[in-house]
Amino acid sequence: MEIITHTSNHQTVAEIKGEAIYLKGIEDGMDLIGNSYYQGYDLVILHARNITPAFFDLSTQLAGEILQKFVNYRMRVAIIGDWTGITSKSLRDFIRESNAGRQVYFTGSIDHALEKLTQ
């Protein structure tokens, strides 16, 4: 796992990159929150390719449980991926509702993630 630091609007953002799946369950989410906070970040960018596919199957409730941890610990997060081909209405609705808030964003680019997280 590689952490790339971005600075935008005088705030630092951790981008988690790599080839593996780093977010497989709630414990991984808690580890990510704890490690990010310990390193001085409270804004995090994740890539969809580094998250287990079960996260995006809302029937598993994994997305809600993990993202609720981010909200509880006041750590804002953006998830970058290609959301245009989603066929699940519930996932499309979940993404739309998340994007309407201020804690969790689903976006297609680093630039947009930085803009949303640091506004």
Side-chain angles (χ1 to χ4, degrees):
M1 176 187 318
E2 177 184 3
I3 298 177
I4 298 171
T5 301
H6 298 275
T7 303
S8 179
N9 288 337
H10 308 290
Q11 297 179 64
T12 56
V13 181
E15 176 188 358
I16 310 301
K17 282 190 85 166
E19 298 303 317
I21 294 179
Y22 303 119
L23 194 55
K24 297 176 191 164
I26 296 170
E27 286 135 19
D28 295 329
M30 291 302 298
D31 287 345
L32 182 63
I33 291 167
N35 289 334
S36 298
Y37 183 78
Y38 178 76
Q39 294 181 47
Y41 300 105
D42 56 1
L43 305 170
V44 175
I45 296 172
L46 301 171
H47 292 268
R49 68 178 174 266
N50 301 125
I51 301 172
T52 182
F55 179 93
F56 301 102
D57 176 357
L58 296 184
S59 68
T60 67
Q61 300 181 351
L62 192 57
E65 291 175 2
I66 291 173
L67 294 176
Q68 187 62 49
K69 298 295 184 192
F70 279 89
V71 171
N72 290 348
Y73 288 94
R74 293 187 173 105
M75 181 164 288
R76 298 174 71 198
V77 61
I79 301 173
I80 297 176
D82 180 4
W83 313 113
T84 57
I86 295 173
T87 57
S88 166
K89 181 184 180 323
S90 59
L91 182 56
R92 281 194 318 264
D93 291 346
F94 182 79
I95 289 172
R96 186 182 66 251
E97 289 172 18
S98 295
N99 286 350
R102 294 198 33 86
Q103 287 291 135
V104 178
Y105 302 100
F106 291 83
T107 184
S109 72
I110 296 286
D111 289 338
H112 191 242
L114 290 170
E115 176 186 327
K116 294 300 284 183
L117 288 174
T118 61
Q119 62 182 0

